[in-house]
Amino acid sequence: MISLAGRDILHSWSKYVFTGVGLGLLIGVTLSMAGIYRGMVDDAQVLLRNSGADIWVVQQETLGPYAEPSSLRDDVYRSVLGLPGVADAANVTYLNMQIRHDERDVRVMAVGFEPGQPGEPPFLSAGRHIARNHYEVVADARTGFRLGERIRIRRQDHTVVGLTRRMVSSSGDPMVFLPLKDAQEAQFLKDNDAIVNERARTAANPALNRPGVPGLLDAIQASQTTSRSANAVLVRVASGWDSEQVAEGIRRWKHLEAFTRVQMEEILVSKLIETSARQIGTFLVILAIVSAAIVSFIIYTMTLGKIRELAVLKLIGTRNRTIAGMILQESLGLGLIGFVIGKTVATLWAPYFPKYVLLLPGDAIRGLVAVMLVCALASLVAIRAALKVDPATAIGG
Amino acid sequence: MATPAIEVAGLRKRYGEGEAAVDALKGVDMIIHPGEVVGLIGPSGSGKSTLLKCLGAVIEPSAGRMALAGQTIFDERWKIRDLRALRRDSIGFVFQAPYLIPFLDVTDNVALLPMLAGKPNHEARRQAMELLEALDVGHRAKASPSELSGGEQQRVAIARALVNRPPVILADEPTAPLDSERALNVIRILNRMAGQYQTAIIVVTHDEKIIPTFQRLYHIRDGRTFEEAGEGRSA
Amino acid sequence: MNTPKPRALILIALGLLMLGGFIFLMLRSGPLAPVRVTTATVVSAVLENSVFGVGVVEAERSYAIGPTIASRVQRVLVDVGDSVKAGQLLAEMDPVDLDERVAASQAAIARARHAVDVARAQLRDAEVRQDLAARNARRYASLGEQAFFSDAAVESKQQESQSALAVSSAARAQLEAARLDLERLGAERAAVEKLRANVRLHAPVAGVVTARDAEPGTTLVAGQSVLRMVDPTSVRIRTRIDQGRAGAIRNGQEALVVLRSRPGTPVPGKVARIEFNSDAVTEERIVQVGFDHLPGDFSLGELAEVTIATTRSEGVLAVPNAALHRQGDASGVWRVEDGTIRFVPVQLGETALDGRVVVLAGLREGERIVVHSERELRAEDSIKVVESLDGKQR
């Protein structure tokens, strides 16, 4: 027995391919939508993975540093370092800001970190890591910055010494890594220079630097130095220790909030991007329904166009099974063509999205199964119409 | 006398019910022997098509009896369960238009029937080829139906009707779209094939040109048949 | 009969081509694709280590010039930017009554001098009288033995002589007292004159006036300044260096100073002093860096970026810091082994400012390591070595 579906497809292949391309673009949009959702989740996870931390220590009663603002004294890390099970602890700051570049503003998340400590970008795609503790930055390639370029962050010019990739905030802004002290200056305008300047200013003020009151100046300056802050302390847990156990110690003894990676992921994925994810999910469902409807219409129309041939086939004794199989195969074939084209275009256009689009092979397989299922369901209507064709119509009169 | 290829007695067909009922066939009797080519003529609305559909086992008669090659297929009700297999194996169809399957080439259009009957592809194609050669269209075996002329298409259609060696072929105005020379040619072919394969062929027509060629004619009027001896000889 | 038509063949070929392209695309992009990386060979290198810090231009010796007692400014002779010589008069305070007090003490001294003269005359008179009395007494005594005079007369003369002696002693003491008085007044006068001199403010060293804090008529308390000046030869950059990198800094090391006002032109200098105290809050050490030749125009308080060349290591294995990764507790690099990669923990030494890091152990010369990658590497990743990762993005 020859494959009637195969022969039909080969016969009207141009119609098939064009229909398949149209369907494929629709499937491509659907896959991209799923990719956008995956990308959002991945952005959140990348943020956590790239920070290299096991525990985030933040201001008490906050969900910082990503979901809520958090502010800590920047000497907190010293006391955290002293706790058992803590291998490394380092201050980090996070600040969303605009950086001017080539006549336009680039929205970035400026990350202040201590070189060699948690919070450092884990890999580079060009250049080198920061070697000076001032005025150098490593930027995500998506910012559009080039190696050696000088960018201005608040008051200081910084040189781009390294480029990295996939370093984005939970909202998808590319990251710019700069030394902690520069970042503190940018965020609080109270870096070391500011402190030293402030001291000189205080000392020059006769009201505060009175000849008759020794010790007053020292007291005032000591009080001014306490305004230095960081947003979080990243903790790396020593091997052999349980993150939750160490975090519990920090919560109990340091009176700070401490989140393990699992909890942080929960915060980011379920709290921060929940609404957007639901938005995309709803759209995805609608898109899937629309795709299914379109597939059924296409298959149905194609079947109606073959009514006479079907009548002849039935008249000369073709079985219902054969005819149903033919329509089902054509439907599945159309779905397959559409899926291949959809997956291809989704892969090709994914890099041009402003935010990360992650196309997982697992999603592609799920998509394939869904497309096949939808096509099979869609062909049911067409099969029903085909089986109702009266073979008598082939005989004139 | 040998077993008739087709034997019809008192066949009736009523469409609708009660007041609105229409009797399309009011008692049809036919006996056609293998190798005979018989004309079936009648004005429009006389019941030609209904009779053809009944004979083709496409619609169910209301009463009467039909037998195909000695086997009763209808006696007040269908005596055979698988009408599709019956149509496939025992009845050939030739239509006014050739109605070839556009997406199959000429060979496969013909070979489809033996394939549907379960024959292996190569055997089915061999049979098809044999018939196509016999009908002088063997050289177009690879062509797509749309590439053939009307006459060639009609010959392929005849080949398709014959390929399963059915005892009877129903031809519904097979010459309508053809000019008289080609029409006569088709009738010649039908006659030849009927002789060659011992198939009974019923040709429904109102083509005046070919009516004289039939050995026997059945007139149908108001749902009844009247037999008339034809004047023609097989060509 | 089994040979399909050419068109079918072409279509099948096209379909296969498309499927092949699809599979190719799936393998070249997305999670299944090999990771593009750049590599480097571990080589023995010369490492010029240096440390970087931000500093402020300051004068190490600066002078605040003001009065020692509360007083009013009378006149100011110099202005900001003037160069002054050592000892030059810069400003004068209002002396108020100091001149009168000097005159008064001068008069007192004159009077005391007269008093000394009087005492001296009185002493001379007393001495003459005593001499006479003594001679009379001696004569009466010898004549008395010869009984020319009565004992009473002799005793009387004796008593007279004694009395004259006492008077002369008193006169001597009075002279001494007058002389001391004169001395005291002299000292008092010197003191008042010193006060008078202090009202004049002189330059302690040669230098430049940097500030003029008070104008004539202003009343200042002791300790407030009229003028401030610096010694330009003592200009230093007070540089703050991260404690973690300050260990290799020594006195006399070469330094390059980039003043904020002239970003393109580094000025050579040397480490002049490493301060003993660190800033505990900012975790930075203070290093004073001096200019080799004082640049013509600079401003005190200007920000400067200082790079100090510390040590020079020869024949060390160095890798780019971009090649370093962390896995668990270990730092290491991805070593390329026949197209696959393996994480090798390494022991690290110092980092140079050009981003190279000394590897003390874990790698051998000539081994290839991954420097840049498209994404974070995992041991099971396959890699594709390229020249540069610029441009294309996944």
Side-chain angles (χ1 to χ4, degrees):
Chain A
M1 186 63 208
I2 49 174
S3 160
L4 291 177
R7 292 308 178 92
D8 190 20
I9 292 174
L10 282 181
H11 180 257
S12 45
W13 66 273
S14 55
K15 190 171 79 185
Y16 241 84
V17 167
F18 286 125
T19 315
V21 167
L23 183 62
L25 293 174
L26 196 62
I27 291 172
V29 169
T30 313
L31 286 176
S32 298
M33 217 62 212
I36 287 169
Y37 170 72
R38 292 289 182 192
M40 278 177 83
V41 173
D42 193 65
D43 276 353
Q45 283 166 344
V46 151
L47 178 64
L48 302 185
R49 204 161 57 228
N50 290 347
S51 64
D54 297 317
I55 297 175
W56 283 256
V57 180
V58 297
Q59 189 181 342
Q60 211 171 10
E61 309 286 335
T62 68
L63 294 175
Y66 311 114
E68 284 182 2
S70 146
S71 181
L72 291 174
R73 295 283 178 239
D74 73 349
D75 54 357
V76 161
Y77 87 95
R78 299 183 203 180
S79 56
V80 172
L81 257 184
L83 288 176
V86 174
D88 282 309
N91 288 318
V92 278
T93 65
Y94 295 98
L95 177 65
N96 276 309
M97 62 186 301
Q98 314 269 354
I99 293 179
R100 201 141 183 86
H101 176 249
D102 288 351
E103 305 298 311
R104 70 191 173 93
D105 277 333
V106 183
R107 182 163 181 77
V108 301
M109 182 184 244
V111 181
F113 73 105
E114 305 247 33
Q117 295 287 333
E120 190 173 41
F123 70 94
L124 295 183
S125 62
R128 59 173 173 81
H129 281 297
I130 286 169
R132 291 171 167 81
N133 50 2
H134 280 294
Y135 310 146
E136 291 187 341
V137 299
V138 169
D140 184 275
R142 230 174 240 273
T143 53
F145 301 156
R146 290 173 293 277
L147 274 189
E149 206 167 14
R150 287 181 79 78
I151 56 168
R152 193 164 182 85
I153 298 176
R154 296 278 151 91
R155 279 168 45 193
Q156 306 291 353
D157 282 336
H158 292 68
T159 310
V160 178
V161 297
L163 293 178
T164 180
R165 290 181 186 192
R166 288 292 297 121
M167 300 291 163
V168 289
S169 71
S170 53
S171 53
D173 298 326
M175 284 183 170
V176 168
F177 294 84
L178 61 165
L180 181 70
K181 286 166 185 173
D182 289 352
Q184 283 180 319
E185 177 189 350
Q187 186 167 6
F188 306 106
L189 276 175
K190 272 270 193 278
D191 69 326
N192 298 341
D193 295 322
I195 291 169
V196 171
N197 294 345
E198 198 58 48
R199 281 182 200 158
R201 227 166 272 143
T202 312
N205 186 343
L208 300 176
N209 188 9
R210 285 192 198 157
V213 194
L216 174 66
L217 185 64
D218 292 341
I220 289 170
Q221 283 179 342
S223 75
Q224 283 174 343
T225 55
T226 55
S227 58
R228 284 160 48 84
S229 300
N231 294 124
V233 174
L234 301 186
V235 172
R236 190 147 44 209
V237 172
S239 52
W241 286 77
D242 175 40
S243 294
E244 180 50 41
Q245 201 183 341
V246 178
E248 186 50 46
I250 294 169
R251 275 182 223 124
R252 182 168 176 195
W253 299 115
K254 298 298 171 197
H255 305 290
L256 296 166
E257 195 58 75
F259 296 111
T260 62
R261 180 170 290 204
V262 179
Q263 292 165 327
M264 208 65 198
E265 205 166 305
E266 164 76 16
I267 289 172
L268 277 181
V269 174
S270 73
K271 297 204 167 65
L272 209 56
I273 64 173
E274 192 195 14
T275 323
S276 329
R278 273 216 305 263
Q279 180 106 341
I280 288 177
T282 313
F283 193 62
L284 193 60
V285 168
I286 292 172
L287 213 50
I289 292 172
V290 169
S291 307
I294 289 179
V295 173
S296 354
F297 293 155
I298 290 173
I299 304 283
Y300 186 65
T301 319
M302 285 172 75
T303 309
L304 288 190
K306 287 200 288 275
I307 281 293
R308 170 143 289 167
E309 285 81 33
L310 290 172
V312 173
L313 282 171
K314 286 176 90 168
L315 185 66
I316 63 175
T318 313
R319 294 186 180 283
N320 281 348
R321 205 173 46 212
T322 314
I323 289 170
M326 168 182 160
I327 293 170
L328 182 66
Q329 283 170 34
E330 290 186 18
S331 179
L332 293 181
L334 199 59
L336 199 65
I337 293 174
F339 174 79
V340 169
I341 288 172
K343 177 73 179 140
T344 308
V345 295
T347 307
L348 290 179
W349 71 39
Y352 299 98
F353 277 80
K355 280 179 77 168
Y356 186 59
V357 178
L358 177 61
L359 302 168
L360 291 175
D363 281 353
I365 289 165
R366 268 190 286 278
L368 179 62
V369 170
V371 165
M372 288 302 158
L373 220 58
V374 164
C375 284
L377 283 175
S379 67
L380 288 183
V381 185
I383 288 172
R384 215 175 96 82
L387 295 188
K388 269 166 61 187
V389 171
D390 184 0
T393 54
I395 298 173
Chain B
M1 191 131 203
T3 317
I6 188 159
E7 194 176 357
V8 177
L11 198 70
R12 292 162 178 277
K13 173 67 188 173
R14 164 176 291 195
Y15 289 111
E17 296 203 349
E19 296 285 309
V22 176
D23 287 314
L25 298 179
K26 297 173 180 167
V28 172
D29 302 294
M30 295 173 96
I31 293 182
I32 301 162
H33 296 285
E36 259 191 315
V37 178
V38 176
L40 181 63
I41 56 177
S44 295
S46 59
K48 274 184 304 187
S49 289
T50 306
L51 177 57
L52 208 58
K53 286 172 187 171
C54 288
L55 291 174
V58 181
I59 61 174
E60 187 176 3
S62 308
R65 184 178 166 274
M66 287 196 296
L68 224 58
Q71 188 192 13
T72 304
I73 60 165
F74 186 85
D75 189 0
E76 304 303 315
R77 59 188 175 86
W78 291 117
K79 294 289 174 188
I80 283 177
R81 269 172 82 198
D82 193 347
L83 293 178
R84 280 171 202 272
L86 175 75
R87 288 203 293 267
R88 188 184 67 208
D89 298 333
S90 307
I91 306 170
F93 292 93
V94 179
F95 310 105
Q96 181 173 350
Y99 290 157
L100 299 176
I101 309 295
F103 52 79
L104 298 179
D105 65 17
V106 167
T107 317
D108 285 346
N109 255 292
V110 178
L112 184 62
L113 275 106
M115 285 178 188
L116 288 172
K119 291 219 168 114
N121 287 1
H122 64 92
E123 173 64 19
R125 289 207 175 100
R126 196 190 53 73
Q127 281 186 15
M129 204 58 208
E130 193 179 290
L131 268 171
L132 289 170
E133 297 284 2
L135 287 163
D136 293 329
V137 279
H139 59 293
R140 307 305 302 269
K142 294 284 183 189
S144 171
S146 58
E147 296 162 14
L148 302 185
S149 69
E152 285 173 330
Q153 289 192 19
Q154 199 57 285
R155 273 182 277 168
V156 174
I158 293 168
R160 178 173 67 185
L162 280 165
V163 69
N164 270 354
R165 306 283 190 274
V168 63
I169 288 178
L170 305 174
D172 184 11
E173 308 214 21
T175 59
L178 303 176
D179 58 36
S180 52
E181 193 191 330
R182 281 162 210 252
L184 288 172
N185 196 28
V186 167
I187 296 302
R188 263 200 299 279
I189 291 168
L190 287 178
N191 276 319
R192 179 154 58 89
M193 291 297 135
Q196 191 169 345
Y197 296 105
Q198 284 300 298
T199 300
I201 301 180
I202 300 174
V203 181
V204 174
T205 186
H206 47 249
D207 189 340
E208 298 293 334
K209 301 185 294 288
I210 61 167
I211 289 172
T213 62
F214 296 111
Q215 298 156 349
R216 282 202 296 147
L217 275 176
Y218 279 96
H219 284 272
I220 184 159
R221 207 173 298 125
D222 287 340
R224 292 172 204 277
T225 46
F226 306 94
E227 189 182 344
E228 180 191 313
E231 38 193 278
R233 317 253 169 284
S234 40
Chain C
M1 292 304 291
N2 273 330
T3 46
K5 286 184 260 178
R7 195 188 58 184
L9 266 181
I10 291 168
L11 285 177
I12 288 168
L14 273 177
L16 283 178
L17 200 70
M18 196 171 125
L19 200 67
F22 175 71
I23 291 168
F24 178 77
L25 192 70
M26 290 307 107
L27 291 180
R28 295 308 299 180
S29 70
L32 301 174
V35 184
R36 296 187 308 138
V37 299
T38 66
T39 59
T41 309
V42 180
V43 289
S44 162
V46 175
L47 208 65
E48 303 270 9
N49 287 317
S50 40
V51 294
F52 175 83
V54 176
V56 175
V57 179
E58 284 182 2
E60 210 182 348
R61 289 194 288 280
S62 67
Y63 302 86
I65 294 156
T68 51
I69 51 168
S71 56
R72 195 165 54 235
V73 180
Q74 191 173 47
R75 53 190 185 128
V76 182
L77 299 171
V78 291
D79 217 331
V80 173
D82 289 352
S83 288
V84 296
K85 290 193 282 290
Q88 185 181 334
L89 180 63
L90 304 177
E92 213 169 338
M93 307 302 291
D94 186 356
V96 197
D97 57 349
L98 281 177
D99 286 335
E100 284 72 22
R101 276 163 68 189
V102 170
S105 74
Q106 255 164 355
I109 284 169
R111 216 189 68 186
R113 213 170 267 140
H114 290 303
V116 169
D117 289 346
V118 171
R120 194 175 289 130
Q122 281 172 342
L123 175 61
R124 209 154 43 232
D125 181 53
E127 276 168 348
V128 171
R129 283 169 194 274
Q130 189 230 327
D131 189 38
L132 183 67
R135 263 185 282 131
N136 280 346
R138 261 194 319 273
R139 195 165 63 243
Y140 270 68
S142 64
L143 290 175
E145 275 169 28
Q146 290 154 21
F148 290 109
F149 291 117
S150 66
D151 284 351
V154 171
E155 278 170 13
S156 159
K157 285 297 171 190
Q158 204 92 40
Q159 190 261 323
E160 264 176 31
S161 162
Q162 294 285 326
S163 169
L165 185 65
V167 167
S168 87
S169 291
R172 194 172 288 119
Q174 203 148 21
L175 174 63
E176 194 59 27
R179 195 174 283 135
L180 286 176
D181 215 18
L182 180 64
E183 246 170 64
R184 178 182 62 83
L185 287 170
E188 264 179 18
R189 185 187 143 190
V192 173
E193 274 175 345
K194 269 217 179 97
L195 268 184
R196 178 68 182 82
N198 254 6
V199 160
R200 296 159 168 279
L201 304 177
H202 296 277
V205 293
V208 180
V209 177
T210 58
R212 181 166 154 153
D213 291 342
E215 294 303 317
T218 318
T219 304
L220 301 175
V221 298
Q224 280 183 282
S225 61
V226 179
L227 293 164
R228 273 178 287 157
M229 56 173 287
V230 297
D231 179 358
T233 60
S234 71
V235 167
R236 300 273 186 276
I237 297 129
R238 188 179 155 85
T239 311
R240 288 173 289 115
I241 308 269
D242 190 80
Q243 285 173 354
R245 300 179 190 226
I249 301 175
R250 300 282 177 273
N251 277 337
Q253 279 169 348
E254 302 280 340
L256 280 181
V257 180
V258 178
L259 292 172
R260 192 127 194 249
S261 55
R262 282 176 296 171
T265 48
V267 184
K270 279 193 182 59
V271 175
R273 190 171 66 236
I274 305 160
E275 303 263 323
F276 207 63
N277 286 325
S278 269
D279 190 325
V281 176
T282 63
E283 296 168 13
E284 286 169 317
R285 188 138 196 209
I286 312 291
V287 173
Q288 302 283 9
V289 175
F291 290 107
D292 284 354
H293 303 284
L294 204 59
D297 55 332
F298 66 93
S299 55
L300 295 178
E302 184 173 353
L303 216 59
E305 296 175 11
V306 180
T307 309
I308 300 169
T310 52
T311 55
R312 187 183 148 90
S313 332
E314 283 184 40
V316 293
L317 293 182
V319 298
N321 65 0
L324 296 176
H325 295 272
R326 236 192 132 78
Q327 285 212 337
D329 290 342
S331 281
V333 298
W334 290 101
R335 189 165 66 194
V336 182
E337 296 176 348
D338 307 326
T340 63
I341 49 172
R342 203 158 77 86
F343 187 78
V344 189
V346 294
Q347 203 186 329
L348 298 176
E350 354 170 53
T351 306
L353 286 185
D354 63 4
R356 286 183 299 161
V357 184
V358 173
V359 173
L360 301 175
L363 281 178
R364 277 194 305 276
E365 194 170 348
E367 287 180 328
R368 285 200 80 73
I369 55 166
V370 173
V371 182
H372 302 127
S373 56
E374 273 180 311
R375 57 176 166 85
E376 196 164 10
L377 291 170
R378 292 182 302 257
E380 64 271 20
D381 282 333
S382 59
I383 57 165
K384 179 166 183 267
V385 178
V386 293
E387 251 340 274
S388 144
L389 291 174
D390 277 351
K392 272 197 261 175
Q393 251 201 68
R394 203 153 52 79

